[in-house]
Amino acid sequence: MIHSMTAFARRDIKVECGSAAWELRSVNQRYLETYIRLPEQFRSLEPVIRERLRARLIRGKVECSLLFELSSYQQSKLVLNEELANQLIRTANWIKKISGEGEINPLEILRWHGVISAQEQNLNVICTHLLKELEFALDDFVLNREIEGKMLKIMIEQRLDAIFQEIQQVRRQMPEILKWQRERLLTKLEEAEIQIDNNRLEQELIILAQHIDVAEELDRLETHVKETHNILKKEYAVGRRLDFMMQEFNREANTLASKSINSQVTNSAIELKVLIEQMREQIQNIE
């Protein structure tokens, strides 16, 4: 299955103490590069997240971000240490009774270290929930890469079909081109009033035909078309294989252009290079 390296996914999460969201985005990259952005209290999750990304993805520059926001209620909620507060009140009353002076100030009791504190959430429970939701976010992310990959596959197959048509067109033209080149050579010899024996003439014509013959290049181009179709059917990551095939396509197209003595063949060679470049640009996005 073809997968694109370009994708985005977001997973919104409700937790007891507020809200969170996973965001995943990626662009093409030769290897897998992961960038993880987490709130400070969840920094310990980074190794686990990185491992899960590497288990699901092969190539691409991937950014994984966790957005986390406490609810206003949780931000303002305080916890009273009643036992400590009672101890302080009893002690203050005892001192007042012994000394016979002084007043108990409730605010002073509250300022005592440990009497009140912001409510601490159970991070282990929250982390477990967040990691579970990360898997769902990764499912969506991989699915989006797959959908984009299907579109890339269709585009590449269309270009392969167009390349095959150009190959067949050049094949149909070659007998006429060889005939035209033979007549052209004979005409030049006649105009120059050069007489050569038939055996020598045939040898020259054979050498000329071999020089402009592109049958091997066309055969190899057809083979590359078939092999690329086969690669697109593979179940594993094929981006690097496809990139290599584009190099092979370009090599044959360049040779075809260099052997061309006919404007139609030249035009076909140019069209082949355009189609190959269009495929190459899109293949850069395939995992």
Side-chain angles (χ1 to χ4, degrees), residues 187-201:
T187 299
K188 286 188 175 183
L189 290 174
E190 289 176 2
E191 291 175 351
E193 298 181 351
I194 298 175
Q195 300 292 326
I196 59 175
D197 60 74
N198 288 336
N199 288 336
R200 175 68 185 279
L201 177 61

Side-chain angles (χ1 to χ4, degrees), residues 24-122:
L24 292 160
R25 66 183 76 236
S26 67
V27 294
N28 61 321
Q29 178 69 22
R30 188 175 182 183
Y31 303 105
L32 178 62
E33 291 185 12
T34 56
Y35 298 87
I36 302 171
R37 296 181 174 88
L38 302 170
E40 191 60 37
Q41 64 266 45
F42 299 110
R43 186 62 60 188
S44 62
L45 294 179
E46 184 169 342
V48 179
I49 295 170
R50 197 177 304 279
E51 181 180 348
R52 294 194 181 188
L53 292 176
R54 293 188 178 279
R56 301 287 296 273
L57 308 171
I58 297 175
R59 296 176 68 197
K61 180 180 178 180
V62 183
E63 294 183 6
C64 177
S65 301
L66 174 62
L67 311 176
F68 186 81
E69 183 176 355
L70 284 172
S71 66
S72 58
Y73 170 74
Q74 291 294 336
Q75 289 175 348
S76 61
K77 189 175 181 180
L78 300 176
V79 176
L80 174 65
N81 188 334
E82 295 184 13
E83 182 178 352
L84 178 58
N86 286 329
Q87 288 179 1
L88 290 172
I89 292 171
R90 287 195 299 269
T91 302
N93 283 328
W94 181 82
I95 293 174
K96 178 183 177 183
K97 182 178 179 180
I98 296 298
S99 64
E101 58 184 42
E103 295 293 334
I104 299 177
N105 187 338
L107 292 179
E108 293 297 328
I109 298 294
L110 292 176
R111 290 193 186 102
W112 192 272
H113 178 71
V115 173
I116 59 172
S117 62
Q119 185 178 31
E120 295 183 0
Q121 301 300 319
N122 188 337

Side-chain angles (χ1 to χ4, degrees), residues 15 105 132 143 151 162 164 181:
V15 292
N105 187 338
K132 181 179 179 181
L143 178 61
M151 296 173 63
F164 184 79
Q181 185 63 17

Side-chain angles (χ1 to χ4, degrees), residues 62-251:
V62 183
E63 294 183 6
C64 177
S65 301
L66 174 62
L67 311 176
F68 186 81
E69 183 176 355
L70 284 172
S71 66
S72 58
Y73 170 74
Q74 291 294 336
Q75 289 175 348
S76 61
K77 189 175 181 180
L78 300 176
V79 176
L80 174 65
N81 188 334
E82 295 184 13
E83 182 178 352
L84 178 58
N86 286 329
Q87 288 179 1
L88 290 172
I89 292 171
R90 287 195 299 269
T91 302
N93 283 328
W94 181 82
I95 293 174
K96 178 183 177 183
K97 182 178 179 180
I98 296 298
S99 64
E101 58 184 42
E103 295 293 334
I104 299 177
N105 187 338
L107 292 179
E108 293 297 328
I109 298 294
L110 292 176
R111 290 193 186 102
W112 192 272
H113 178 71
V115 173
I116 59 172
S117 62
Q119 185 178 31
E120 295 183 0
Q121 301 300 319
N122 188 337
L123 282 183
N124 289 334
V125 173
I126 296 175
C127 288
T128 300
H129 183 47
L130 290 176
L131 289 175
K132 181 179 179 181
E133 292 296 328
L134 174 62
E135 289 300 321
F136 293 126
L138 275 169
D139 289 340
D140 294 339
F141 187 64
V142 172
L143 178 61
N144 290 339
R145 284 165 67 112
E146 183 179 319
I147 292 171
E148 179 71 17
K150 288 179 180 179
M151 296 173 63
L152 292 176
K153 181 181 178 183
I154 291 171
M155 189 284 296
I156 293 170
E157 289 175 335
Q158 290 172 343
R159 301 310 186 274
L160 289 173
D161 291 341
I163 288 174
F164 184 79
Q165 294 303 319
E166 289 294 335
I167 294 170
Q168 300 313 309
Q169 182 173 315
V170 175
R171 284 196 190 280
R172 289 191 295 269
Q173 293 170 355
M174 285 312 299
E176 188 66 28
I177 292 172
L178 291 172
K179 179 181 177 182
W180 169 78
Q181 185 63 17
R182 178 188 178 94
E183 293 173 352
R184 182 168 175 264
L185 177 61
L186 291 174
T187 299
K188 286 188 175 183
L189 290 174
E190 289 176 2
E191 291 175 351
E193 298 181 351
I194 298 175
Q195 300 292 326
I196 59 175
D197 60 74
N198 288 336
N199 288 336
R200 175 68 185 279
L201 177 61
E202 289 302 320
Q203 289 177 358
E204 293 296 327
L205 290 172
I206 290 172
I207 292 172
L208 179 61
Q210 289 176 340
H211 178 70
I212 66 173
D213 184 29
V214 293
E216 288 187 12
E217 287 74 17
L218 296 177
D219 287 343
R220 283 194 286 267
L221 281 169
E222 276 194 16
T223 300
H224 296 339
V225 169
K226 293 176 183 177
E227 178 60 20
T228 304
H229 275 298
N230 290 333
I231 292 173
L232 290 172
K233 297 175 184 177
K234 301 296 184 183
E235 294 296 329
Y236 48 81
V238 296
R240 290 191 179 94
R241 283 177 174 267
L242 290 173
D243 191 53
F244 172 76
M245 291 305 303
M246 294 307 103
Q247 298 176 37
E248 297 300 305
F249 269 112
N250 267 319
R251 183 177 293 111

